[in-house]
């Protein structure tokens, strides 16, 4: 039975070179970076090297990188940290209706507690925010705009530079969740102009449970975790050193992969996959933007079927994919992203997200196309005979 992993927007295989870089920090160099002895000094050096690697990955200064336990913490830190620091300036936060729940639920909770007022930017049928909408809803009371760089369910890339300029014209901070984009698109915070940006290692062949928040020098932000003085007093808690070393190494590898045109290869395989599916299986629909979309993702709806049954049949054939977002336990839960894009219930509940990686082969894609065609025909016929 083959094991074909097409769930790379949920999590990725850790690159073997990343594992090798991490290993010594479990059993050889296990000192606490806050200690002054030799073991402490060695791990401090590794910590600072990883900071430089991540800074180079997104083109910022190493002092602007704060390590976290992943994308979820980075997003919560950004949203809650800005509010805590400048609540006297205003209490209005703008975000979009297609954010990851680590932004959406944080904003909703703050509103429920009556700490803030929030407004959500809508998206069009391709999952794209309209900058003119931001111009209309931003007020003198707005303190933060948080719009994801690229969407994790359909891959649509947002006009971040434009949105950021609009926020800055009003003197408002701009945060972007770049967890889905990292490793697939070159990220340059100086060019984008953002004040805060979130990253997570496990989306680009690094380990799970580690990420970073970029905070531009001078941004007023309050800490989110209380305790020790780690991360220059901004993020308490003993550093996850093996994880951070892994994040740094994964950033170096991803940077090189982007330079070498690795994503173009993935894109041609993804485009081939979609072309075959659309021509060979009737009543299918690709969700997301056709051009403003990163390379590895393919979100497809197969009408008259449900995602759960389809996924179970693919799993039986050794193909791993997902429906909706990575953290949804119930695969039948409808996607809030597709809903916001105006996708019908029928297409929403029959969507599958395929995610390719640098490890995906043409042979695996050909096998997946054949199986999908057989399974869809079989299930649709079964549905017909049951009605
Ligand atoms: C867009 C986006 N933001 C944030 C997260 C959360 O990141 P983590 O899993 O590192 O907490 C995810 C994970 O699926 C994501 O896709």
């Amino acid at each position: 039975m083959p094991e074909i992993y097409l769930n790379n927007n949920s999590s990725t295989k850790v690159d073997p070179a990343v594992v090798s870089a991490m290993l010594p920090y479990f059993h050889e160099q296990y000192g606490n970076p806050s200690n002054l002895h030799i073991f402490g000094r060695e791990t401090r050096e590794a910590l600072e090297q990883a900071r430089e690697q991540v800074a180079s990955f997104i083109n910022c200064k190493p002092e602007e990188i704060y390590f976290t336990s992943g994308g979820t913490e980075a997003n919560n830190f950004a949203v809650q940290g800005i509010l805590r620091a400048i609540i006297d300036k205003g209490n209005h936060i703008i975000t979009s209706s297609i954010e990851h729940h680590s932004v959406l639920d944080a904003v909703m909770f703050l509103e429920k507690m009556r700490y803030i007022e929030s407004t959500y930017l809508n998206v069009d049928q391709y999952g794209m925010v309209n900058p003119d909408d931001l111009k209309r809803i931003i007020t003198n009371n707005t303190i933060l705009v948080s719009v994801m760089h690229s969407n994790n369910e359909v891959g649509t890339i947002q006009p971040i530079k434009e949105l950021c300029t609009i926020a800055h014209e009003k003197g408002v901070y701009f945060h972007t969740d770049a967890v889905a984009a990292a490793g697939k698109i070159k990220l340059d915070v100086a060019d984008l102009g953002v004040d805060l940006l979130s990253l997570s290692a496990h989306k680009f062949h690094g380990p799970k449970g580690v990420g970073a928040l970029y905070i531009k020098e001078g941004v007023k932000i309050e800490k989110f975790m209380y305790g020790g003085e780690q991360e220059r007093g901004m993020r308490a808690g003993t550093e996850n050193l093996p994880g951070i070393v892994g994040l740094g190494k994964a950033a170096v590898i991803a940077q090189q992969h982007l330079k070498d045109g690795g994503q173009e290869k993935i894109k041609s395989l993804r485009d081939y996959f979609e072309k075959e599916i659309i021509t060979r299986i009737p009543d299918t629909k690709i969700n997301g933007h056709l051009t403003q979309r990163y390379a590895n993702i393919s979100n497809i709806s197969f009408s008259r079927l449900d995602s759960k049954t389809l996924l179970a049949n693919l799993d039986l054939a050794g193909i791993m994919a997902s429906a909706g977002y990575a953290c949804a336990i119930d695969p039948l839960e409808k996607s809030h992203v597709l809903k916001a894009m105006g996708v019908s219930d029928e297409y929403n509940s029959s969507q599958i997200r395929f995610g390719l990686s640098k490890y995906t082969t043409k042979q695996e894609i050909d096998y997946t196309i054949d199986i999908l065609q057989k399974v869809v025909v079989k299930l649709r016929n079964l549905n017909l005979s049951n009605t």
Side-chain angles (χ1 to χ4, degrees):
M1 164 82 108
E3 283 185 351
I4 298 178
Y5 187 76
L6 293 177
N7 205 12
N8 286 286
N9 299 99
S10 180
S11 198
T12 56
K13 170 176 167 170
V14 182
D15 192 303
V18 171
V19 178
S20 303
M22 291 170 70
L23 280 178
Y25 296 94
F26 288 104
H27 55 93
E28 288 166 20
Q29 288 162 291
Y30 46 82
N32 187 324
S34 298
N35 292 155
L36 294 177
H37 52 60
I38 176 71
F39 274 20
R41 293 201 302 277
E42 277 171 3
T43 46
R44 163 69 51 193
E45 213 171 283
L47 184 70
E48 296 314 324
Q49 188 193 27
R51 202 184 304 284
E52 281 168 23
Q53 290 166 330
V54 176
S56 159
F57 184 47
I58 61 168
N59 190 28
C60 69
K61 295 182 201 154
E63 314 85 78
E64 294 173 317
I65 295 293
Y66 296 83
F67 293 118
T68 66
S69 63
T72 298
E73 185 190 324
N75 284 342
N76 275 274
F77 185 4
V79 172
Q80 304 203 34
I82 292 292
L83 176 71
R84 287 169 194 219
I86 58 170
I87 193 153
D88 53 334
K89 188 172 172 275
N91 73 340
H92 180 228
I93 293 182
I94 296 173
T95 187
S96 86
S97 50
I98 58 159
E99 296 299 307
H100 186 263
H101 282 284
S102 50
V103 169
L104 273 184
D105 292 7
V107 170
M108 278 177 198
F109 175 76
L110 293 171
E111 178 142 48
K112 194 171 140 203
M113 297 300 288
R114 298 174 192 232
Y115 296 145
I116 63 159
E117 286 171 5
S118 64
T119 311
Y120 299 85
L121 287 159
N122 288 325
V123 293
D124 66 15
Q125 59 179 312
Y126 305 109
M128 189 72 85
V129 161
N130 182 347
D132 287 339
D133 290 343
L134 179 59
K135 276 188 197 152
R136 249 187 326 98
I137 63 177
I138 199 163
T139 72
N140 292 334
N141 194 34
T142 309
I143 52 168
L144 179 70
V145 177
S146 179
V147 176
M148 69 197 323
H149 184 289
S150 308
N151 183 262
N152 51 309
E153 294 189 35
V154 295
T156 304
I157 305 166
Q158 302 299 337
I160 295 299
K161 267 170 99 160
E162 230 180 305
L163 294 166
C164 198
T165 305
I166 296 164
H168 286 171
E169 276 165 6
K170 278 273 188 185
V172 174
Y173 286 141
F174 192 95
H175 165 248
T176 192
D177 171 358
V179 167
K184 303 177 191 94
I185 299 171
K186 187 174 163 22
L187 294 170
D188 180 333
V189 289
D191 181 50
L192 290 170
V194 297
D195 301 295
L196 305 121
L197 178 144
S198 304
L199 294 172
S200 175
H202 75 103
K203 304 287 181 172
F204 55 98
H205 304 291
K208 294 167 184 58
V210 62
L213 179 65
Y214 155 75
I215 306 174
K216 191 171 160 182
E217 197 174 20
V219 165
K220 290 199 178 84
I221 184 162
E222 180 55 50
K223 67 176 98 174
F224 168 63
M225 311 262 278
Y226 294 86
E229 285 300 303
Q230 290 89 355
E231 296 298 282
R232 299 175 304 292
M234 287 300 289
R235 198 280 185 178
T238 303
E239 299 88 344
N240 166 12
L241 202 75
I244 290 170
V245 167
L247 167 63
K249 184 72 182 176
V252 171
I253 294 171
Q255 203 170 350
Q256 193 58 46
H257 164 87
L258 287 169
K259 262 193 206 144
D260 295 343
Q263 287 294 303
E264 276 85 80
K265 284 189 201 138
I266 294 174
K267 183 177 181 298
S268 59
L269 204 50
R270 190 270 316 267
D271 290 350
Y272 164 74
F273 173 69
E274 289 188 341
K275 195 170 139 274
E276 290 296 305
I277 295 295
I278 293 293
T279 37
R280 283 167 58 173
I281 311 178
D283 301 329
T284 50
K285 176 182 178 293
I286 295 167
N287 300 306
H289 205 283
L290 290 182
T291 56
Q292 295 302 321
R293 181 169 54 131
Y294 54 80
N296 89 316
I297 197 166
S298 185
N299 185 310
I300 309 181
S301 293
F302 300 84
S303 74
R304 307 193 300 285
L305 294 178
D306 75 83
S307 315
K308 196 178 175 183
T309 313
L310 205 43
L311 283 172
N313 276 266
L314 291 178
D315 190 29
L316 284 174
I319 300 165
M320 292 167 261
S322 65
Y325 63 103
C327 319
I329 303 290
D330 177 3
L332 282 187
E333 194 181 304
K334 285 204 187 53
S335 155
H336 69 286
V337 174
L338 295 195
K339 221 183 226 176
M341 288 162 60
V343 172
S344 68
D345 278 358
E346 183 187 350
Y347 277 107
N348 195 336
S349 54
S350 63
Q351 52 118 354
I352 306 281
R353 181 183 64 175
F354 300 93
L356 286 66
S357 83
K358 60 182 179 181
Y359 298 114
T360 309
T361 64
K362 165 107 177 3
Q363 208 182 1
E364 290 179 328
I365 289 297
D366 280 330
Y367 173 80
T368 305
I369 295 164
D370 286 342
I371 294 290
L372 255 174
Q373 188 175 20
K374 282 184 199 139
V375 165
V376 170
V377 169
K378 180 187 85 177
L379 293 176
R380 280 184 179 157
N381 284 342
L382 251 171
N383 281 352
L384 267 183
S385 57
N386 286 340
T387 51

